Amino acid sequence: MKRIFWLIPCFLVLFSVHSFAQQNDKSKMDLFINNLMNKMTLDEKIGQLNLPGSGDIVTGQAKSSDIGKKIKAGQVGGLFNIKGVEKIREVQRVAVEESRLKIPLLFGMDVIHGYETTFPIPLALSCSWNLKMIEQTARVAAIEASASGINWTFSPMVDICRDPRWGRIAEGSGEDAYLGSQIAAAMVKGYQGDYSLNSNIMACVKHYALYGAAEAGRDYNTTDMSRIRMFNEYLPPYKAAVDAGVGSVMASFNEVDGIPATGNKFLMTDVLRNQWGFKGFVVTDYTGINEMIDHGMGDLQQVSALALNAGIDMDMVGEGFLLTLKKSLQQGKVKLSQINNACRLILEAKYKLGLFDNPYKYCDLQRSKTEVYTPAHKKFAREAAAESFVLLKNKDGLLPLKKTGKIALIGPLANSKENMPGTWSVATILKNSISVKEGLENAVGNGAQILYAKGSNIEADSNLEKRGTMFGREIGRDNRTEKELLDEALEIASQSDVIIAALGEASEMSGESSSRSHIDMPHTQLKLLKALVKTGKPVVLVLFTGRPLTITWENKNVPAILNVWFGGSEAGNAIADVLFGDVNPSGKLSTTFPQNIGQVPLYYNHKNTGRPLPEGKWFEKFRSNYLDVSNDPLYPFGFGLSYSDFEYSDITVSSKKVKGNATLTASVTVTNKSKTDGKEVVQLYIRDIVGSVTRPVKELKGFKKVTIKAGESQKVSFQITPSDLKFYNYNLKYDWEAGDFNIMIGGNSRDVKSVMINWVK
Ligand code: BGC
């Protein structure tokens, strides 16, 4: 005990040395920036707030002209989506040699799920529930991006989404604020580290806020929700990124409470800075300021002033700040202190990145040759992909397959490289991705024969696919008729022992501006699948998608379904790993799959209502339900099968009566009853039975991914404290309320063991 007392002063000394060092660093930075800003003209300060796009990758309307001239004139703070380290080095050279004050530029890019080595889409990664691995994907992305000149990524995207019509559900971590928050923090850590290395880049959490709650799932549409829902269910992941020290925040396109986020002082100042203590800078999304004209907030000068006054620091693409802030200052519509403040925050970011010490810190030509798309990165991408797949059905243990006999591989996604990386993979090299066909061939060697047929196009009408493409990617269409394609597939199927059907969405049917009103399997592919099932051969559906799909027919009629999302550069190899059992699948859904589109929004942590459906029923008159479909999802949140078979014991708790700040331990024993070693995501949910406001039927409060050997058992425990019981009440106070709580533990949000406890203050 005595020893512990000795430790306290030591700790205090260490702590004060550390905070002194931090203070010292801060004073040094302040001094440097004060000196620099003293030399800056108003135009140069406003110039720092300007972020033009390079023109390499365009997702909106406006494009800046004469960027070179503007850089020399000190009218540019950073540039984004420019690819190639040599190009970037040259632009940086212009900034630091040919502009008056030689201020280096930020180079941003949408490095969303990897750079050239592309990882699975973020929605898929979130289904791994493996935070260490997700952090490492961000780390590898940062290594490759920084070796290519990039010092700033527009990631993580943490928008909670409960509406799979919205295409950008693919870019986030699904529907749950708790899981989303953990992932947000892990990614920030992975990208930024402590900024000390030339492979630590600045992260940008986006899209603040509520972008994923667009009405009807239509991209860029209005959002409107109560503050209580906002704070409890949608804002936590942005806050988690801020708490993890994220360097920048991106404002969202949508309005919140009738004011576009880009001009929303409540969001940008009251919450972000005053409540959460965010110290970095806020950038708009692409033309976010200009779009406030269409939102109906005024002309360019008005909306630019509105944005600055709300707390926006940097203007992406639109140049509203560049063109109007000086005039607004002269007219008293904005204050100089605001321009100074925004400029300071951007200079601070450059300082923290070390760009003033070495503007070429991220332009090491050698690194770009040795640290991008390396064998180690590819190996890791393959592991990450396999860990993100979710086994949705496996009747009679059809999977894993043997590497023998004749395997028919059929479908428009079977021999496609360009569809493997998924949306927002701007730095990927499409021809490098591994297709399913290649993956299977690599895996079987001479062991089995792979017979391939395309079977159909993505959809008979090419528009579904074509409209989604962002960067003009080629769509490989087959000009044969539907019948010709089908006949060829059936011929191959008839020769085979088993059929692998690689079907689903094309990669850019999800992502930005790729909303769908029907989220089913494209019809020509469903026809193909039905014909394959009709052959009577066993069919494995390898499902590609960037969103939950309504696959009720498939679930009923196809014996095995492996959801592979879009797995990145190594997708094909990873798919083979799982299909043949070299890797045991362990992904669990981070998003609910509805039975039909009419059930949307459907999410596990809903409220009970005053007329809940009695358990075990699917319809009762005058209850909250539908005439034509049950309230159940097709696959619930947290769901995913394994080649192992896990059994949960009842829950034991350290006490059923808990008081004050105590810690409650809740445990289960999980047994792997199978002959296969496997990984299981053990999930903890809590229901607060009575509250001053209505509380969800359950909320995820913890999870552990454990490896359990065949035939073995493992005890898994969760430590629960009052902070796990906290929520924002009607007055938006974050606190917990005494009472009864249902503690639930299980392998998904539906199938749980439960125990009631009572917790008093
Ligand atoms: C997207 C952002 C992205 C930005 C820059 C916008 O269209 O909404 O997520 O970071 O473009 O490329």
Side-chain angles (χ1 to χ4, degrees), residues 23 29 39 173 261 275 347 380 444 463 581-582 644 655 713 722:
Q23 199 49 45
M29 177 172 77
K39 292 183 215 148
S173 293
Q275 280 189 38
L347 295 175
F380 177 51
V444 298
N463 280 326
D582 296 319
S644 307
S655 169
S713 295

Side-chain angles (χ1 to χ4, degrees), residues 59 80-81 110 154 168 206-207 250 253 285 424 512:
T59 57
F80 76 98
N81 284 349
D110 290 280
F154 301 140
R168 300 197 83 171
K206 70 187 188 186
H207 308 81
M250 187 185 292
F253 287 127
D285 200 348
W424 272 122
E512 185 167 354

Side-chain angles (χ1 to χ4, degrees), residues 121-139:
I121 54 168
L123 184 62
L125 279 176
S126 71
C127 293
S128 73
W129 297 57
N130 184 339
L131 297 174
K132 277 227 166 75
M133 188 193 85
I134 294 172
E135 180 183 328
Q136 187 60 18
T137 64
R139 174 87 199 101

Side-chain angles (χ1 to χ4, degrees), residues 619-681:
F619 178 80
E620 200 175 296
K621 191 73 182 163
F622 304 120
R623 292 281 167 179
S624 178
N625 46 213
Y626 301 97
L627 292 177
D628 54 357
V629 65
S630 75
N631 287 351
D632 297 332
L634 182 61
Y635 308 114
F637 175 83
F639 176 82
L641 302 171
S642 158
Y643 298 152
S644 307
D645 182 11
F646 297 109
E647 192 178 78
Y648 283 67
S649 72
D650 285 337
I651 303 176
T652 54
V653 284
S654 52
S655 169
K656 285 199 174 172
K657 286 226 162 266
V658 200
K659 193 170 168 16
N661 249 343
T663 299
L664 172 79
T665 306
S667 314
V668 288
T669 299
V670 185
T671 303
N672 180 350
K673 285 173 44 197
S674 72
K675 294 201 171 79
T676 314
D677 298 349
K679 291 186 197 165
E680 169 71 337
V681 181

